[in-house]
Amino acid sequence: MTEDATPERLLAGELWWKAGVVYQVYPRSFQDTNGDGVGDLKGVTARLDYLAWLGVDAVWLSPVCRSPMADYGYDVSDYCDIDPLFGTLADFDVLVAEAHRRRLRVIMDFVPNHTSEEHPWFREARASRDNPKRDWYIWRDPAPDGGPPNNWISNFGGPAWTLDPATGQYYYHAFLREQPDLNWRNPEVRRAMLDVLRFWLDRGVDGFRVDVIWHLMKDESLRDNPVNPDYRPGEPEINSLVQLHSADQPEVMQVIAEMRAVLEEYDARVLIGEIYLPLERLVAYYGVDLSGAHLPFNFQLIQTPWHAESVARLIADYEAALPAGGWPNWVLGNHDQPRIAARVGDAQARVAAVLLLTLRGTPTLYYGDEIGLSRVPIPPERLRDPWEHNEPGRGRDPERTPMQWAPGPQAGFSTVEPWLPLDPQAQTRNVEVLRDDPASILTLHRRLIALRRDHPALSIGAYRAISASGDVLVYERLHGDEVVRVALNFGHEACHVPVPGEAAWEVMLSSAGGRRGEGSQDGRFALAGDEALMLIRRAPAANG
Ligand code: TEU
Ligand code: CA
């Protein structure tokens, strides 16, 4: 990163995804415009002004392609069409054009590991053993006892193999039986899927978030996975085996490099990979000489205990593990994980927002977190996620509920009862009520995003660890003369943050609102329980 790079210049250029903030929309739950209780593309378009107001730079849409919705769009039956529930290709084109008019980029979800069982490719594949598409999926004869070919388990619990009685073989599915895995060792599959990328790139999308990218290649001889000695009952069943042979195979790097090469045929597009792996494996997905994903999603904050010292260690480990030139990124939540407020509580959710938006690297913000949505209770009869049916308690519905826009019926999301219930606090926890409240969590997010845009130290600056002791984590972001010191109180007790004496520091932002411009007293700043502070060092007057 050159010294004269400004966030504005970066955002307009090839590397916009370094300085930018990504916002994830779960389209079913953003805005319904046709009164069926399910969000749609016209709804996303209708809310682009809100996203521009919030200040984010890119919108990642969870899947909107044609799908029978067994896994709510992560089971695609046509990669080159929009599901009628969400609208049409024409609606999509309008969304992209309207987003671009507002300088918002659009990132699509690409689901290459598996199709829907209703995809024409799979219908053909299962028609007969000698169908030309048979090898597009992963078929094996039964084991000698008639059971599945190996011991692999579905990520949603239960066996990962389903017998097709008509042809007498099993097919492999890392997720639902309705989601057969594609055979990425087949060159025709690769060609067809890379053409899908071109289809959307030609329509103007600015990049892809690639679903379960570390799963694409499996062990060629499909060896059994070893038993996980650390498995504790109560964890998802998938954890009972170590996923040694079913994912994260060396050959996947070549596939990712091929995807990346397709993006390189176009200007300024981004490749984001969804990867749940430990740090040392995760960073391999930047690829040899950075030929892999631009941003292998970093979910470590979701998996690390919420304590100052563990987060400090995580940041240090991640920074140290990054390959030279690899750009970091951070995620607090998504449509698969309990929301941040549900994990750490309402007060700490504000501290988390400051952390996410002041760390070095591209932040991804999950829709609804900016209004403080937490775990929304779902009555048993309204549970929708298929994972919940297989493994009760694992369901992801509580983090997929409708966005709340305004007081009144359905919180402005729809005119009818939505597909998932609203938060009981929807009348007060909504955009209209929070947007003008200077102390709201929404105002906090908007200010943090604006500060990132205004201060190169925050968007592209270096990171320097200062301290982590007790409940307080302190670090700095630096660029040129600019130094921003961030102090996060992970606990409920008030304390003080010292600042080096030789310069004048003042408060840039407090997560509690107010305090802007406040100076230090006796070389330190008071820090309340559950408060996060951003302090800026006033540069000595420039000479000339
Ligand atoms: O998720 C992949 C995935 O592995 C997670 O569901 C994972 O099991 C869990 O969150 C780890 O803690 C992706 C999509 O994001 C998810 O919505 C889909 O259901 C899944 O792939 C299948 O496409
Ligand atoms: Ca709708």
Side-chain angles (χ1 to χ4, degrees):
M1 193 85 37
T2 59
E3 279 292 301
D4 63 332
T6 65
E8 279 305 325
R9 218 174 299 155
L10 266 176
L11 285 168
E14 279 285 307
L15 302 179
W16 59 272
W17 47 268
K18 289 192 175 180
V21 176
V22 178
Y23 183 97
Q24 179 187 358
V25 164
Y26 195 66
R28 290 185 75 88
S29 295
F30 206 55
Q31 177 69 61
D32 174 27
T33 59
N34 65 344
D36 63 0
V38 177
D40 40 57
L41 290 181
K42 285 192 168 125
V44 178
T45 304
R47 294 300 185 180
L48 289 173
D49 282 334
Y50 165 74
L51 297 179
W53 171 85
L54 185 60
V56 300
D57 301 284
V59 191
W60 150 33
L61 299 176
S62 277
V64 290
C65 286
R66 216 176 250 278
S67 163
M69 305 287 165
D71 189 20
Y72 294 103
Y74 285 95
D75 50 319
V76 176
S77 56
D78 184 347
Y79 287 99
C80 298
D81 200 4
I82 298 293
D83 194 273
L85 188 65
F86 295 125
T88 62
L89 275 172
D91 294 335
F92 184 83
D93 291 342
V94 170
L95 191 167
V96 172
E98 289 297 313
H100 287 171
R101 229 160 51 78
R102 292 166 178 80
R103 302 177 72 180
L104 288 163
R105 320 266 173 161
V106 179
I107 298 171
M108 268 206 117
D109 212 310
F110 179 50
V111 189
N113 180 68
H114 41 266
T115 69
S116 161
E117 61 172 350
E118 291 184 23
H119 196 292
W121 299 340
F122 189 67
R123 287 174 185 268
E124 283 187 50
R126 81 186 317 173
S128 70
R129 285 196 187 208
D130 55 11
N131 187 283
K133 292 269 182 334
R134 183 72 167 185
D135 184 56
W136 283 40
Y137 293 84
I138 300 170
W139 295 94
R140 286 294 182 281
D141 289 334
D145 67 354
N150 69 17
N151 73 346
W152 295 1
I153 294 171
S154 158
N155 279 266
F156 293 146
W161 294 92
T162 291
L163 181 67
D164 176 55
T167 57
Q169 283 189 313
Y170 283 86
Y171 65 88
Y172 174 66
H173 50 89
F175 293 87
L176 300 173
R177 65 169 64 215
E178 293 91 344
Q179 294 168 295
D181 277 44
L182 281 165
N183 175 17
W184 274 83
R185 293 182 187 273
N186 181 311
E188 291 174 29
V189 167
R190 289 199 193 195
R191 260 199 303 278
M193 291 301 277
L194 295 180
D195 279 344
V196 170
L197 295 179
R198 293 189 183 93
F199 176 86
W200 293 105
L201 290 165
D202 288 339
R203 287 197 112 81
V205 308
D206 299 286
F208 299 94
R209 170 271 190 191
V210 184
D211 192 59
V212 293
I213 202 167
W214 85 109
H215 270 264
L216 296 181
M217 287 297 227
K218 307 59 160 103
D219 177 48
E220 189 147 31
S221 49
L222 303 175
R223 281 169 285 179
D224 275 359
N225 276 326
V227 167
N228 175 8
D230 299 326
Y231 178 69
R232 294 180 309 274
E235 284 183 63
E237 191 189 349
I238 182 73
N239 295 354
S240 63
L241 302 179
V242 180
Q243 307 297 302
L244 184 66
H245 300 302
S246 49
D248 193 26
Q249 302 301 295
E251 301 96 307
V252 78
M253 299 302 166
Q254 177 58 32
V255 173
I256 299 172
E258 287 174 22
M259 289 181 184
R260 172 68 182 274
V262 171
L263 269 73
E264 298 296 331
E265 296 166 14
Y266 299 77
D267 287 344
R269 314 294 164 110
V270 69
L271 188 66
I272 305 176
E274 187 209 23
I275 301 154
Y276 285 93
L277 286 175
L279 264 188
E280 60 281 9
R281 289 302 312 146
L282 172 66
V283 294
Y285 285 76
Y286 285 97
V288 176
D289 298 329
L290 305 181
S291 61
H294 293 109
L295 302 174
F297 258 151
N298 167 14
F299 298 130
Q300 303 294 314
L301 282 175
I302 297 174
Q303 295 156 336
T304 301
W306 195 249
H307 300 301
E309 282 166 36
S310 26
V311 172
R313 200 173 322 119
L314 158 63
I315 300 168
D317 290 349
Y318 181 58
E319 286 277 351
L322 288 169
W327 187 252
N329 78 91
W330 296 94
V331 179
L332 278 179
N334 59 39
H335 63 294
D336 296 328
Q337 304 293 337
R339 282 188 181 270
I340 181 66
R343 301 201 309 270
V344 303
D346 291 350
Q348 283 293 312
R350 288 168 174 263
V351 175
V354 177
L355 177 71
L356 175 70
L357 291 159
T358 59
L359 283 172
R360 188 176 86 91
T362 308
T364 298
L365 180 58
Y366 185 49
Y367 90 95
D369 282 354
E370 79 274 28
I371 57 169
L373 274 181
S374 188
R375 161 174 280 270
V376 176
I378 316 282
E381 70 281 4
R382 294 192 64 179
L383 288 166
R384 305 291 290 271
D385 183 10
W387 195 353
E388 181 69 30
H389 295 293
N390 292 357
E391 296 190 276
R394 294 280 153 214
R396 299 163 291 179
D397 299 311
E399 59 263 22
R400 296 178 174 182
T401 63
M403 182 62 178
Q404 300 171 173
W405 297 102
Q410 319 309 343
F413 167 73
S414 177
T415 51
V416 301
E417 183 64 34
W419 75 289
L420 282 176
L422 294 160
D423 164 25
Q425 296 181 57
Q427 292 309 304
T428 49
R429 188 176 277 164
N430 60 62
V431 171
E432 200 176 297
V433 166
L434 300 178
R435 66 183 297 161
D436 298 320
D437 172 357
S440 75
I441 189 164
L442 178 58
T443 302
L444 173 64
H445 277 90
R446 184 162 180 254
R447 286 199 51 216
L448 284 165
I449 295 168
L451 288 175
R452 261 186 100 86
R453 196 178 278 258
D454 291 346
H455 294 273
L458 292 170
S459 53
I460 56 173
Y463 170 85
R464 178 158 76 200
I466 299 294
S467 63
S469 66
D471 284 328
V472 180
L473 169 64
V474 183
Y475 53 83
E476 286 179 347
R477 299 294 310 283
L478 316 99
H479 183 82
D481 279 347
E482 194 173 67
V483 181
V484 176
R485 182 172 281 222
V486 181
L488 308 165
N489 192 340
F490 285 70
H492 309 308
E493 304 291 319
C495 59
H496 288 93
V497 192
V499 281
E502 72 281 6
W505 295 79
E506 67 180 54
V507 173
M508 231 180 164
L509 172 143
S510 156
S511 60
R515 296 191 67 175
R516 208 184 311 187
E518 190 184 305
S520 64
Q521 284 208 319
D522 306 323
R524 58 188 204 169
F525 287 85
L527 183 67
D530 302 308
E531 186 182 26
L533 268 186
M534 292 167 67
L535 309 168
I536 186 158
R537 192 187 68 182
R538 283 285 154 237
N543 42 355

